[in-house]
Amino acid sequence: MSLIDARNIDFGHGGQTVLHGVSLSLEPREIVTIVGPNGSGKSTLLRVLIGALKPRRGTIIRAAGLRIGYVPQKLHIDPTLPITVRRFLNLPKAVDRAAAEEALEKAGVAGLTERQMASLSGGQFQRVLLARAILGKPDVLMLDEATQGLDQPGSAAFYRQIDAVRRDLGCAVLMVSHELHVVMSASDRVICLNGHICCEGTPEVVSATPAYRELFGTGTGGALALYRHEHDHDHDHTHHHHEAAE
Amino acid sequence: MLDDFLMRAALAGVGTAMAAGLLGCFVVWRRMAYFGDATAHAAVLGVALALLFGTSITLGVGMVALAMALLIHGLSGQRTSVDTMLGVLAHGALALGLVAVTLIPGQRIDLDAYLFGDVLSVTRMDLAVIWGGGAIVVAILWWQWQAMLTATLSPDLAYAADLNPRRAQLILTLLLAAVVAVAIKVVGALLITAMLIIPAASARSYATTPERMALLSMAIGALSAVAGLRLAVLLDVPVGPAIICVAVAVFAVSALGRTLRQLA
Ligand SMILES: Nc1ncnc2c1ncn2[C@@H]1O[C@H](COP(=O)(O)OP(=O)(O)O)[C@@H](O)[C@H]1O
Ligand SMILES: [Mg+2]
């Protein structure tokens, strides 16, 4: 049975249509990546799926008691609201100290507990959001451009962490990216979105379809494979770079 | 002890300040100051209606504040900006209230008491209303704290966790109406928003978590109430404005302290 089954979703702001006839279902343990240019409705689709936006048309069925770990594209914390990383991890449910520290470590930011959220770098902030999301033991992890602002080795490291988290929790992963070269090598499916679903399939299949090439240009047509190549064969080198960058 | 009018005034001030100090944190975090103003200004209309129908002032103020708060809550669900609408409602309700109060036949009313508060005349009954209402406000926020905080940080995080941020907003709206009804006797309709936001803003620079900010805000509010009352008695000035003056002084000191720490 699917974790989430969305059928024929239409969504718009005022007169503008953002999503048209989008259908998507997510199976347990599956990794699905949504790619599309800026403004193609990727964030909107995730927000429809978590229930933050009501679609104009279409149905969304979630498995009973489904737990979603959502990592938003951006989160603005009002400067009048003081909050430490430790306190942030306690939302919406309080967790014990050991669990909080373990989640931070899994997300690759151990030892930040007493820092103010406002004092974190963009990359640290994203990882704390990830740590918070995994603390809820989600059935689905939804990541909206979580590698934004990371360099390529940084993204590679981040995806390895996601993969480890997924194996650990056994959750499905639904993520969004506009950077094609960092589509996760482990993706079971890639969905190409531009208001509607242009094409979908395995990374290889999608990068070969005409719709994909039309949307992203032939110049980047091979880019999807590039990251896979680097991840598979250049692992030590990549890792070295990552550490040098920190 | 309650026979002494100064003691009653102090207790009324402290009770109001603590409820307002706590709720005020949410008003600051969510940038609802204008929302607070509109609800508080509507209270004057509530006074007029209560006098007209011969009901209790607290009830009249509570009902009108509630109606205004719900109206604004409904409007804020729309996607368009409600800023201008809030301004119209806030000042419209105030003006209408002022006109209505003076038109009520056969009564000469001390309007100042409702605009600036009249804490020296609180009765035991008023005290019961203030502490009862304040306790309800604190209890509800305590009970809903995690959900409220999540919804305040990010409505999307709340939705993903199966919480309803609109519900959090509605609860805050209702509590705001309750605080207005409770506080009108103490600081008056014009200064209720000050009681909400100034202690919270002073607490901000010295707090590392939302809970510490809330506790500190309540403490600063209570301190301002007691010190403001003393100041008012000493200088023979109205109590409500004196309380706010002390709160502003605390805010100035805290802002100065923050600047000095940043320079150091
Ligand atoms: N709150 C909003 N009001 C009006 N239009 C919006 C709003 N949020 C997003 N949009 C529009 O919806 C479209 C899709 O946005 P989004 O889902 O953020 O795209 P992506 O995440 O793929 O970059 C864009 O054209 C954007 O301008
Ligand atoms: Mg986006």
Side-chain angles (χ1 to χ4, degrees):
Chain A
M1 175 179 156
S2 303
L3 297 174
I4 298 182
D5 190 15
R7 297 235 179 101
N8 262 313
I9 301 297
D10 280 9
F11 181 84
H13 295 284
Q16 180 202 16
T17 300
V18 178
L19 297 174
H20 182 69
V22 174
S23 296
L24 180 157
S25 75
L26 195 63
E27 305 304 318
R29 308 181 74 93
E30 199 181 20
I31 301 184
V32 175
T33 301
I34 302 172
V35 295
N38 282 321
S40 58
K42 304 181 298 293
S43 299
T44 304
L45 178 57
L46 285 199
R47 295 180 68 215
V48 167
L49 292 177
I50 63 170
L53 299 173
K54 301 270 166 289
R56 283 180 181 162
R57 216 162 58 88
T59 54
I60 298 170
I61 298 169
R62 298 195 213 173
L66 183 79
R67 288 185 305 258
I68 297 175
Y70 174 60
V71 178
Q73 181 169 2
K74 48 182 187 288
L75 179 69
H76 172 75
I77 296 185
D78 197 279
T80 61
L81 177 54
I83 188 161
T84 58
V85 170
R86 179 70 186 89
R87 182 63 188 92
F88 182 73
L89 295 180
N90 269 339
L91 290 172
K93 289 217 164 52
V95 293
D96 64 40
R97 192 190 156 90
E101 277 169 7
E102 192 192 329
L104 285 176
E105 195 172 322
K106 273 187 197 154
V109 278
L112 286 184
T113 42
E114 292 314 312
R115 291 275 296 277
Q116 284 289 307
M117 289 295 288
S119 74
L120 302 180
S121 73
Q124 288 172 325
F125 197 99
Q126 282 291 340
R127 282 158 190 259
V128 171
L129 286 177
L130 174 65
R132 196 202 70 97
I134 49 190
L135 273 168
K137 301 217 181 337
D139 305 304
V140 187
L141 199 53
M142 290 194 190
L143 307 162
D144 196 346
E145 308 219 11
T147 56
Q148 215 176 21
L150 297 179
D151 55 9
Q152 205 163 323
S155 303
F158 190 84
Y159 284 126
R160 274 198 296 279
Q161 258 146 359
I162 297 289
D163 206 19
V165 163
R166 185 188 67 104
R167 261 180 273 133
D168 203 39
L169 295 176
C171 59
V173 177
L174 178 61
M175 58 185 162
V176 155
S177 176
H178 78 274
E179 310 161 291
L180 298 177
H181 56 286
V182 289
V183 166
M184 192 171 178
S185 62
S187 291
D188 297 307
R189 250 187 318 147
V190 173
I191 294 175
C192 190
L193 186 74
N194 193 18
H196 61 283
I197 293 181
C198 311
C199 55
E200 68 175 297
T202 62
E204 292 82 0
V205 168
V206 165
S207 60
T209 58
Y212 171 86
R213 282 164 184 270
E214 193 183 317
L215 196 54
F216 295 106
T218 44
T220 55
L224 206 52
L226 183 69
Y227 169 70
R228 294 169 65 77
H229 177 80
E230 197 166 285
H231 182 56
D232 289 340
H233 302 290
D234 214 2
H235 189 279
D236 290 341
H237 179 65
T238 306
H239 195 238
H240 175 78
H241 257 292
H242 177 54
E243 295 196 327
E246 278 185 349
Chain B
M1 170 178 107
L2 293 180
D3 290 337
D4 178 9
F5 75 99
L6 277 181
M7 195 64 205
R8 285 198 305 270
L11 284 173
V14 168
T16 304
M18 297 220 294
L22 181 59
L23 186 64
C25 288
F26 283 99
V27 173
V28 167
W29 295 333
R30 300 170 72 102
R31 309 199 166 232
M32 288 166 66
Y34 220 169
F35 194 127
D37 258 345
T39 308
H41 289 182
V44 176
L45 188 57
V47 171
L49 291 179
L51 292 174
L52 197 61
F53 294 108
T55 63
S56 96
I57 299 284
T58 308
L59 188 69
V61 168
M63 295 313 282
V64 174
L66 186 67
M68 177 61 102
L70 288 176
L71 178 63
I72 300 169
H73 176 73
L75 287 176
S76 65
Q78 325 282 287
R79 279 173 211 286
T80 50
S81 161
V82 292
D83 214 46
T84 311
M85 203 58 209
L86 275 179
V88 172
L89 286 173
H91 299 103
L94 180 62
L96 190 62
L98 291 174
V99 169
V101 161
T102 46
L103 280 183
I104 291 169
Q107 303 223 28
R108 246 193 54 76
I109 306 147
D110 178 17
L111 244 187
D112 285 1
Y114 301 107
L115 293 178
F116 304 111
D118 186 17
V119 74
L120 293 177
S121 74
V122 296
T123 61
R124 283 158 185 258
M125 186 58 204
D126 291 330
L127 263 189
V129 167
I130 289 171
W131 278 83
I136 289 172
V137 170
V138 172
I140 290 177
L141 284 178
W142 181 275
W143 169 52
Q144 289 287 313
W145 190 259
Q146 287 280 85
M148 292 285 196
L149 204 53
T150 307
T152 298
L153 263 172
S154 157
D156 282 358
L157 289 187
Y159 278 118
D162 238 345
L163 300 166
N164 185 351
R166 284 291 287 166
R167 181 165 166 268
Q169 169 85 28
L170 180 63
I171 292 175
L172 287 174
T173 302
L174 299 179
L175 294 183
L176 204 55
V179 165
V180 166
V182 157
I184 189 163
K185 190 98 193 192
V186 178
V187 285
L190 294 186
L191 291 173
I192 289 173
T193 311
M195 204 68 222
L196 286 166
I197 63 175
I198 298 174
S202 316
R204 169 60 187 101
S205 15
Y206 296 94
T208 51
T209 64
E211 290 74 21
R212 283 183 208 157
M213 176 161 159
L215 289 176
L216 201 53
S217 168
M218 292 168 83
I220 291 173
L223 178 101
S224 307
V226 174
L229 180 63
R230 278 203 72 103
L231 187 72
V233 172
L234 215 64
L235 302 179
D236 192 22
V237 294
V239 180
I243 291 176
I244 304 303
C245 284
V246 173
V248 170
V250 174
F251 175 79
V253 169
S254 101
L256 192 68
R258 182 185 202 166
T259 312
L260 289 180
R261 266 192 310 171
Q262 277 165 357
L263 289 178

